[in-house]
Amino acid sequence: KAGVTQTPRYLIKTRGQQVTLSCSPISGHRSVSWYQQTPGQGLQFLFEYFSETQRNKGNFPGRFSGRQFSNSRSEMNVSTLELGDSALYLCASRDSQNTEAFFGQGTRLTVV
Amino acid sequence: QKEVEQNSGPLSVPEGAIASLNCTYSDRGSQSFFWYRQYSGKSPELIMSIYSNGDKEDGRFTAQLNKASQYVSLLIRDSQPSDSATYLCAVKNNFNKFYFGSGTKLNVKP
């Protein structure tokens, strides 16, 4: 069974640009959560999608948005990038029964 | 107050010793608790989950949960240098939200 796949693995963007990250969950998993990880703040919850609906949301500005498609793949978008958005972005998938979350390899975003 | 608190460490133990990692959480209604291991530059990997009070053992790992004290711990017996990593405690509350601690860095010295 394939794991959680995130693309791209690395990104370099300029301040003010926007970026879209993709996450394909484990087959059969309908929940996808996104996290931002930085050395100073640790792992912070962005949002969770379940069956194409946003189920939970963390305390991030509206520049951070996401969506989920009918095949459970999810995208996260960050608009008007700031230097402080440089981080490792992780997505995690869960199925509807099991509460354990499994992480993808992450996307390392660098904003210059 | 953070939802999940962990000592950032580093915690240094000699090879073969028991490493004890601790975590406290603030939401008394939390029901599910998890330990993840994260090697430098890698994504978190699930080690253990625990849902009821008491101990849960899996190989060299034992998770302990005390809901009355809002306390979760992870014991690693016979620690190996390959156990050197950051250990993240995660808690899921009744609203299905996951909260992660900032992690404890463990160094196992040969």
Side-chain angles (χ1 to χ4, degrees), chain A residues 43-105:
Chain A
L43 203 62
Q44 292 188 289
F45 173 73
L46 282 154
F47 29 66
E48 180 192 9
Y49 286 86
F50 183 85
S51 293
E52 301 180 65
T53 302
Q54 188 179 84
R55 185 157 72 172
N56 277 307
K57 191 176 188 304
N59 298 322
F60 277 79
R63 299 186 297 107
F64 292 82
S65 63
R67 59 178 175 168
Q68 187 179 34
F69 302 95
S70 58
N71 63 357
S72 294
R73 188 178 71 86
S74 177
E75 287 183 347
M76 189 191 91
N77 185 275
V78 188
S79 63
T80 319
L81 283 166
E82 301 176 0
L83 295 178
D85 297 332
S86 296
L88 178 66
Y89 290 88
L90 292 159
C91 88
S93 81
R94 291 187 283 150
D95 68 21
S96 57
Q97 302 298 324
N98 192 331
T99 61
E100 297 166 340
F102 297 91
F103 284 87
Q105 299 276 51

Side-chain angles (χ1 to χ4, degrees), chain B:
Chain B
Q1 182 187 12
K2 287 188 175 180
E3 288 84 2
V4 181
E5 301 262 16
Q6 291 182 258
N7 187 320
S8 61
L11 172 67
S12 292
V13 300
E15 184 175 355
I18 295 175
S20 177
L21 305 161
N22 305 313
C23 167
T24 58
Y25 59 95
S26 60
D27 185 347
R28 189 170 285 278
S30 298
Q31 296 294 324
S32 307
F33 308 87
F34 310 89
W35 283 100
Y36 287 82
R37 176 177 62 198
Q38 187 173 24
Y39 292 112
S40 181
K42 302 292 185 182
S43 60
E45 171 192 14
L46 180 68
I47 302 175
M48 296 276 292
S49 57
I50 186 166
Y51 305 100
S52 54
N53 278 330
D55 295 0
K56 179 182 177 183
E57 188 174 317
D58 184 0
R60 295 186 296 112
F61 299 96
T62 299
Q64 299 174 317
L65 174 60
N66 183 326
K67 289 185 179 180
S69 300
Q70 295 174 241
Y71 177 92
V72 192
S73 66
L74 179 70
L75 300 178
I76 306 175
R77 290 182 299 280
D78 189 24
S79 295
Q80 302 296 310
S82 59
D83 294 326
S84 297
T86 296
Y87 289 80
L88 301 167
C89 171
V91 175
K92 187 176 80 73
N93 67 12
N94 283 337
F95 299 101
N96 217 33
K97 272 192 177 182
F98 269 83
Y99 293 98
F100 282 82
S102 55
T104 298
K105 187 169 183 178
L106 172 66
N107 289 329
V108 180
K109 298 182 177 179

